[in-house]
């Protein structure tokens, strides 16, 4: 069953039934001001940091779910009936409900008793505000007297404190009201120099700023007493819960349409110019007034929307493809790329599953996310790399997370996740392959943000590599530390105390437990680093990396091989994990996927055997699970992985993030059919038909789909903010379609399904537009290329040296 449909032409997903299984959200904003918005207008907004600068309030895991948002009410002032065009919060039975989630905007509308209404929400580029354009049309044969209300609930800035510290917070709320504008200035009197505002374009018939005056005691957002009465009360908030509500009365002739614009925004004043007149307690509005006035103007608002549309058009145009598979096309061309930008902006902070107060930016996560967004925003990727590297420690180790507001490593979580440093090599390499910008390696970058400790970025990569060499275990494999990619494989934790963090508790010395996954990553990243060193003229250094890589490969094939597949790890007792000898957890996806992705065992049949057994034991119709058999109880020596009931999360859930490693592994074996089949099993668009089972949005990836051991096999959770976005994008674009960036040029190496007659693509790469057409003439993966009509040797298309800005690439697969 479906709850809507894709409108690919307009790059929208159109939801036609409001009661989706879960709130289906979208993101507003792409620079500094952000919001999440659900298909029934739920959600909240923040400036830069979802915890520390939260503008509006949201109650996670509330009942009913997803209440609190950007709510509009309409009231028929004759019949006194009222409703919300976005269904929530009043939940009337609406006609023609639709929610169009598009690129950076959402439009929600419906019609009720002959009154059509819809609101378009978006954040203009380069501004710290959001615009709501409400359009109301009278479809009745008679005149209609309609009151419109728009409302939000302010958050007192720090979302964590706001939700917990009531003894203080019930006393601090303050607002100011001017005609058409409500200013929220809680804590402005003391240490803040920022405030929020909520403005309305039309002459108001009333406002409210005190929540209880608007809702009424013991009422919810579904039945505000002031809306019911048809008159806001002009209340001024003192303490308690400040809100912003505007009322506008419309007198609509039959067929008449009116538009009202609301603007919700964030503004800062210089610390010494906070008040006007100076010495007063009145917010200085000199610089904010023109901004508000500008965007309350419908023409300006429309122009801002058009600029936003063009921005996304341009951003997505960097890579566009046309294959025989509609699900591939719309994910690659629209939604997967868009989701990669969301992971760039949000990391793992704010979604329907991430409360915005938990995590900073993950070192491992953000480096991997780069694989999915570097081609769209290379300059910002560069900045992100330098920020990440600045938190690296002199040992080569890394803080597991850093705070985006301070850009400093998070001491509470600390480091010691021994895979972390290698992802920096992977990220930097992806950046150079995309841009050809070698200068990044010479950027001075400090360790742990310590002024004076700056060394060239390249030295950071060296230390990342060396970090592992200094942490080798009894079998010659890398020590795992707190965990590797799998945050929940905590082999040095041994926690039997409730509430202890699996991520930071370490009860063992850590000199025994080893990770085959890190070994595979070391081989992969080591080769990338060697390539970089060679091109920097450091031949000897490069050879030394390759020698270490070759040594590690041998160790993997000896001590990391279980006979038919790759082992996962050795625990603190030196016992195998992910072996046929184990009772549970006999085979794992990470080591098998990543070792094959890294090219290990390709020559001697081991890679093929690893992939065949991965298919046999881990593949399901909904995707590949993390391991089998699932852990049926808690194992002290394994940690969090066994804390989850079977089939969920890292305990044999379908962790979508790692599925692409196996897809890439299959392409390395030349298996285009299976690679694309795996791709399709978790492709959200291809799962749209089973939305009542999948439950999450059909337009973005979720972190996890419940595995076959779970009662809810096939149900997705934790959509939007996941490494799944980048890795699937990378797998389909660079390995299955095979349009791959290299340090030298653009490699064309498709491993596509046999049934595909070919595909075409447009790729802007280092300032040149490549028009690519692939035609299948035989069943294999051998490719013969012509560039602007001339055949070339090999399959790497080098950037033109004669200033051509467009290049035609034709490939014949046989
Ligand atoms: C989450 C984390 C990621 C980790 C994965 C597996 O997605 O953000 O860093 O690799 O879980 O545990
Ligand atoms: C939990 C989750 C894992 C995530 C980690 C982040 O362990 O299971 O997916 O990576 O938290 O700290």
């Amino acid at each position: 069953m479906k709850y809507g449909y894709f409108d690919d032409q307009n790059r929208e997903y159109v939801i036609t039934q409001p009661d989706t299984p879960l709130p289906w959200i979208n993101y507003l904003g792409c620079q500094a001001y952000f919001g999440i918005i659900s298909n029934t207008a739920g959600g909240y907004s923040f400036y830069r940091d979802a915890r520390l600068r939260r503008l509006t309030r949201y109650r996670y895991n509330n009942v009913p779910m997803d209440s609190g948002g950007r709510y509009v009410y309409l009231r028929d002032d004759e019949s006194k009936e009222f409703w919300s065009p976005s269904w929530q919060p009043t939940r009337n039975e609406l006609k023609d409900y639709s929610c169009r989630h598009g690129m950076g905007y959402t439009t929600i509308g419906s019609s009720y008793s002959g009154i059509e209404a819809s609101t378009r929400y978006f954040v203009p580029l380069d501004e710290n505000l959001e615009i709501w354009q409400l359009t109301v049309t009278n479809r009745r044969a008679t005149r209609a007297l309609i009151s419109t209300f728009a409302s939000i609930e302010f958050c007192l800035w720090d979302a964590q404190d706001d939700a917990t510290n009531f003894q203080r917070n019930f006393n601090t709320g303050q607002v100011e009201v001017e005609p058409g504008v409500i200013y929220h200035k809680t804590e402005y009197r003391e240490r803040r120099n920022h405030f929020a505002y909520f403005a309305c374009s039309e002459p108001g018939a009333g406002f409210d700023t005190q929540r209880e005056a608007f809702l009424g005691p013991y009422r919810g957002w579904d039945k505000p007493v002031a809306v019911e009465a048809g008159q806001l009360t002009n209340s001024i908030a003192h303490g308690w819960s400040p809100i912003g509500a505007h009322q506008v009365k419309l007198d609509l002739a039959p067929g008449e349409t009116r538009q009202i614009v609301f603007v919700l925004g964030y503004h800062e004043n210089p610390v010494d110019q906070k008040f006007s007149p100076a010495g007063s307690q009145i917010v200085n509005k000199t610089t904010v007034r023109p901004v508000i006035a500008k965007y309350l103007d419908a023409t300006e608002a429309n122009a801002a929307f058009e600029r936003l549309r063009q921005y996304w058009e341009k951003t997505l145009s960097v890579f566009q493809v046309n294959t025989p598979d509609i699900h591939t096309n719309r994910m690659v061309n629209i939604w997967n790329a868009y989701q990669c930008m969301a992971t760039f902006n949000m990391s793992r902070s704010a979604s329907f599953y991430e409360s915005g107060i938990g995590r900073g930016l993950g070192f491992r996560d953000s480096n991997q996310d780069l694989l999915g967004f570097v081609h769209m925003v290379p300059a910002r990727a560069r900045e992100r790399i330098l920020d990440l590297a600045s938190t690296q420690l002199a040992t080569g180790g890394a803080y597991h997370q850093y705070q985006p507001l301070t850009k400093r490593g998070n001491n509470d979580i600390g480091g010691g996740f021994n895979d972390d440093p290698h992802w920096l090599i992977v990220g930097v390499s992806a950046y150079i392959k995309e841009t050809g910008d070698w200068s990044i390696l010479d950027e001075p970058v400090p360790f742990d943000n310590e002024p004076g400790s700056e060394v060239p970025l390249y030295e950071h990569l060296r230390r990342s590599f060396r970090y592992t060499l200094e942490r080798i275990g009894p079998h010659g494999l890398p020590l795992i530390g707190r965990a590797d990619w799998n945050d929940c494989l905590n082999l040095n934790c041994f926690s039997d105390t409730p509430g202890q963090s699996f991520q930071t508790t370490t009860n063992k010395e850590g000199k025994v437990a080893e990770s085959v996954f890190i070994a595979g990553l070391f081989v992969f990243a080591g080769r990338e680093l060697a390539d970089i060193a060679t091109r920097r003229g450091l031949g000897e250094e490069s050879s030394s990396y390759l020698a270490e890589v070759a040594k590690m490969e041998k160790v993997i094939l000896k001590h990391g091989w279980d006979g038919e597949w790759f082992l996962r790890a050795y625990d603190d007792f030196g016992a195998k994990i992910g072996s046929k000898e184990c009772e549970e957890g006999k085979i794992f996806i990470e080591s098998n996927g990543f070792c094959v992705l890294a090219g290990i065992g390709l020559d001697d049949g081991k890679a093929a055997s690893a992939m065949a057994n991965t298919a046999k034991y881990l593949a399901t119709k909904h995707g590949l699970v993390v391991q089998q058999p699932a852990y049926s109880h808690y194992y002290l020596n394994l940690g969090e992985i066994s804390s989850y009931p079977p089939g969920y999360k890292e305990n044999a859930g379908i962790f979508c993030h790692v599925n692409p490693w196996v897809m890439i592994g299959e392409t390395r074996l030349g298996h285009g059919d299976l690679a694309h089949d795996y791709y399709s099993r978790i492709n959200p668009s291809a799962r749209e038909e089973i939305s009542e089972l999948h439950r999450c949005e059909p337009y973005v990836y979720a972190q996890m789909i419940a595995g076959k051991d779970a009662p809810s096999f096939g149900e997705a959770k934790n959509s939007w903010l996941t490494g799944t976005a980048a890795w699937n994008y990378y797998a389909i674009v660079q390995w299955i379609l095979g349009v791959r960036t290299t340090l030298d040029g653009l490699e064309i190496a498709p491993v596509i399904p046999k049934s595909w007659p070919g595909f075409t693509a447009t790729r802007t790469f280092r300032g040149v537009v490549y028009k690519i057409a692939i035609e299948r003439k035989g069943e294999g993966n051998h490719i013969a290329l012509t560039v602007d009509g001339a055949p070339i040797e090999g399959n790497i298309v080098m950037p033109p040296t004669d200033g051509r800005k467009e290049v035609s690439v034709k490939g014949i697969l046989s």
Side-chain angles (χ1 to χ4, degrees):
M1 184 195 161
K2 302 201 293 180
Y3 296 82
Y5 60 93
F6 285 91
D7 178 348
D8 293 335
Q9 199 69 36
N10 289 306
R11 299 198 177 101
E12 292 173 336
Y13 191 79
V14 188
I15 300 161
T16 51
Q17 188 176 325
D19 55 338
T20 45
L22 291 160
W24 286 2
I25 71 163
N26 191 17
Y27 286 89
L28 308 177
C30 48
Q31 290 154 319
Y33 182 102
F34 297 103
I36 69 176
I37 182 163
S38 73
N39 58 306
T40 58
Y44 60 93
S45 300
F46 57 95
Y47 171 73
R48 285 195 192 276
D49 186 311
R51 167 162 177 195
L52 298 174
R53 292 281 193 285
R54 186 84 63 103
L55 264 79
T56 57
R57 196 172 270 166
Y58 191 72
R59 295 170 186 79
Y60 276 92
N61 199 7
N62 203 359
V63 279
M65 67 181 167
D66 189 34
S67 50
R70 302 170 180 84
Y71 290 145
V72 169
Y73 304 84
L74 301 187
R75 180 178 185 272
D76 185 325
D77 283 337
E78 284 160 320
S79 74
K80 304 188 169 51
E81 217 189 343
F82 66 93
W83 69 97
S84 314
S86 58
W87 191 61
Q88 286 256 58
T90 62
R91 295 190 290 277
N92 296 56
E93 207 161 296
L94 303 170
K95 267 182 61 186
D96 303 326
Y97 160 88
S98 78
C99 165
R100 292 183 165 265
H101 281 320
M103 304 289 104
Y105 67 91
T106 288
T107 306
I108 311 175
S110 61
S111 104
Y112 188 79
S113 85
I115 305 298
E116 227 172 74
S118 92
T119 313
R120 181 167 76 184
Y121 302 92
F122 71 100
V123 175
L125 293 173
D126 307 319
E127 298 287 2
N128 297 321
L129 55 88
E130 64 188 66
I131 297 177
W132 312 3
Q133 289 176 286
L134 167 66
T135 311
V136 185
T137 304
N138 177 12
R139 294 280 175 222
R140 297 175 185 167
T142 54
R143 167 181 182 215
L145 298 177
I146 303 291
S147 269
T148 64
F149 303 86
S151 61
I152 45 107
E153 182 175 7
F154 291 110
C155 179
L156 309 186
W157 302 117
D158 178 338
Q160 167 99 343
D161 185 76
D162 181 74
T164 47
N165 191 8
F166 305 110
Q167 59 78 25
R168 168 177 163 85
N169 293 338
F170 284 169
N171 302 287
T172 55
Q174 284 193 300
V175 296
E176 277 178 37
V177 182
E178 286 188 346
V181 192
I182 293 163
Y183 295 91
H184 174 229
K185 60 168 193 176
T186 300
E187 292 191 347
Y188 190 76
R189 57 184 282 121
E190 26 138 342
R191 291 157 299 175
R192 294 186 187 274
N193 63 328
H194 51 258
F195 57 89
Y197 55 87
F198 187 46
C200 170
S201 66
E202 305 305 301
F207 64 86
D208 267 310
T209 67
Q210 185 75 297
R211 191 180 73 201
E212 192 160 282
F214 181 68
L215 294 183
Y218 293 97
R219 287 191 183 219
W221 293 89
D222 56 334
K223 227 178 159 197
V225 70
V227 174
E228 189 178 82
Q231 185 57 55
L232 298 190
T233 70
N234 296 358
S235 59
I236 297 290
H238 294 277
W240 297 112
S241 292
I243 63 158
H246 293 284
Q247 178 177 7
V248 174
K249 290 194 174 182
L250 301 177
D251 180 345
L252 298 168
E256 188 182 352
T257 296
R258 290 277 299 277
Q259 187 172 105
I260 309 173
V261 182
F262 301 95
V263 176
L264 171 65
Y266 169 91
H267 197 74
E268 285 175 6
N269 275 335
V271 177
D272 57 351
Q273 289 163 42
K274 279 170 64 171
F275 301 105
S276 171
S280 78
Q281 285 290 299
I282 302 169
V283 173
N284 179 353
K285 306 184 185 73
T286 323
T287 51
V288 75
R289 275 202 191 104
V291 180
I292 297 175
K294 178 172 176 190
Y295 291 104
L296 286 178
D297 181 311
T299 316
E300 289 284 357
N302 289 338
F305 183 78
E306 183 52 28
R307 282 194 297 276
L308 182 68
R309 219 188 49 71
Q310 284 166 10
Y311 165 84
W312 279 108
E313 169 94 41
K314 187 156 178 261
T315 304
L316 298 179
S317 73
V318 178
F319 186 74
Q320 290 285 299
V321 71
N322 190 7
T323 77
D325 177 41
I326 188 172
H327 306 298
T328 301
N329 296 348
R330 70 162 63 105
M331 288 312 289
V332 170
N333 294 339
I334 307 169
W335 290 100
N336 194 178
Y338 181 65
Q339 185 179 2
C340 287
M341 289 302 294
T343 60
F344 164 63
N345 283 313
M346 298 289 126
S347 186
R348 307 293 175 266
S349 72
S351 71
F352 185 67
Y353 309 84
E354 299 281 8
S355 65
I357 57 182
R359 302 203 246 169
L361 265 83
F363 192 87
R364 169 202 297 143
D365 293 337
S366 292
N367 274 305
Q368 288 175 76
D369 290 347
L370 250 138
L371 295 172
F373 68 73
V374 63
H375 63 297
M376 292 184 280
V377 283
R380 296 176 78 188
R382 189 181 209 271
E383 187 188 342
R384 176 63 55 82
I385 287 173
L386 297 176
D387 286 347
L388 283 164
S390 303
T391 68
Q392 193 178 25
L393 305 168
T395 58
Y399 284 103
H400 200 44
Q401 299 176 0
Y402 80 91
Q403 297 311 117
L405 211 61
T406 60
K407 296 192 170 179
R408 296 207 152 242
N410 184 334
N411 262 321
D412 298 342
I413 313 276
F417 294 74
N418 283 352
D419 65 317
D420 274 340
H422 292 291
W423 296 113
L424 182 66
I425 301 178
V426 174
V428 171
S429 165
Y431 171 79
I432 300 176
K433 286 177 182 172
E434 177 63 37
T435 58
D437 170 19
W438 290 88
S439 75
I440 191 170
L441 294 174
D442 299 315
E443 283 290 333
V445 179
F447 292 107
D448 197 7
N449 286 104
E450 212 43 70
S453 68
E454 291 83 358
V455 294
L457 176 65
Y458 182 69
E459 176 61 25
H460 284 256
L461 305 188
R462 283 182 170 141
R463 297 212 191 174
S464 290
F465 186 79
R466 218 183 301 143
Y467 179 85
T468 290
L469 292 179
E470 288 162 6
R471 286 164 185 78
I472 294 287
H475 295 92
L477 292 161
L479 292 171
I480 196 168
R482 283 190 165 146
D484 59 20
W485 171 86
N486 191 331
D487 273 337
C488 301
L489 194 59
N490 315 117
L491 305 183
N492 295 305
C493 181
F494 286 78
S495 171
D496 54 10
T497 307
Q500 274 184 342
S501 157
F502 287 104
Q503 257 81 60
T504 58
T505 304
T506 310
N507 287 318
K508 293 286 169 168
E509 247 196 304
K511 297 269 172 13
V512 180
E514 300 166 296
S515 162
V516 177
F517 167 76
I518 299 181
L521 177 59
F522 175 88
V523 167
F524 180 78
R527 291 215 181 96
E528 306 268 291
L529 185 58
D531 282 349
I532 290 173
T534 305
R535 282 170 185 74
R536 265 176 94 76
L538 303 170
E540 238 170 84
E541 189 176 318
S542 175
S543 308
S544 77
Y545 294 144
L546 291 177
E548 294 294 352
V549 162
K551 197 165 133 202
M552 186 64 80
E553 231 179 319
K554 276 211 188 99
V555 175
I556 295 173
L557 293 172
K558 180 149 184 234
H559 294 294
W561 182 250
D562 195 49
E564 288 178 87
W565 55 81
F566 292 100
L567 284 174
R568 179 63 177 82
Y570 288 94
D571 71 10
D572 183 58
F573 307 105
K576 292 174 185 170
I577 297 173
S579 158
K580 54 180 177 298
E581 294 165 21
C582 303
E583 225 163 273
E584 301 186 324
K586 289 173 188 286
I587 175 168
F588 277 71
I589 194 170
E590 302 99 303
S591 47
N592 286 292
F594 216 90
C595 285
V596 179
L597 177 161
I600 301 166
L602 282 178
D603 309 331
D604 61 3
K606 289 198 167 85
S609 170
M611 289 293 90
N613 283 290
T614 299
K616 183 167 164 195
Y617 295 111
L618 303 182
T620 78
K621 61 179 175 182
H622 295 297
L624 296 124
V625 300
V626 174
Q627 93 279 16
Q628 278 293 297
Y631 293 116
S632 59
H633 59 91
Y634 179 55
Y635 290 78
L636 200 58
N637 61 321
L638 300 181
E640 186 171 5
I641 187 170
S642 56
S643 74
Y644 288 112
Y648 294 113
K649 293 280 280 181
E650 282 87 342
N651 189 13
I654 296 160
F655 221 90
C656 297
H657 181 152
V658 283
N659 276 233
W661 299 351
V662 180
M663 296 169 204
I664 298 171
E666 291 294 351
T667 65
R668 299 219 58 171
L669 295 169
H671 301 159
D673 280 324
L674 189 53
H676 193 265
D677 179 6
Y678 285 156
Y679 171 75
S680 302
R681 293 185 205 192
I682 61 169
N683 180 321
S685 162
R687 298 173 62 78
E688 186 194 17
E689 294 287 344
I690 52 164
S691 284
E692 80 282 16
L693 171 65
H694 184 79
R695 288 169 56 89
C696 280
E697 295 92 333
Y699 42 91
V700 289
Y701 288 95
Q703 181 199 57
M704 192 215 45
I705 297 172
K708 59 186 176 187
D709 302 288
S712 57
F713 181 35
E715 179 192 30
K717 283 185 193 140
N718 197 1
S719 56
W720 279 101
L721 303 183
T722 157
T724 311
W727 273 104
N728 270 287
Y729 189 85
Y730 179 69
I732 184 73
V733 172
Q734 302 219 14
W735 292 90
I736 298 177
L737 300 173
V739 180
R740 185 147 74 233
T741 57
T742 73
L743 292 174
D744 308 313
L746 200 57
E747 183 172 356
I748 310 289
V751 186
I752 53 176
K754 289 203 178 64
S755 62
W756 285 16
F759 67 88
T760 57
T762 308
R763 175 68 154 93
T764 306
F765 176 65
R766 303 190 195 170
V768 176
V769 179
Y770 293 83
K771 300 263 183 198
I772 303 164
I774 305 296
E775 197 189 328
R776 194 186 261 306
K777 291 225 167 128
E779 294 220 318
N781 302 310
H782 177 266
I783 188 139
L785 292 180
T786 54
V787 176
D788 283 336
I792 64 161
E793 283 283 308
N795 65 348
I796 297 184
V797 183
M798 298 298 284
T801 47
D802 59 1
R804 265 173 303 158
K805 285 288 165 220
E806 200 179 300
V807 171
S808 148
V809 180
K810 291 209 185 333
I812 305 290
L813 274 181
S814 60

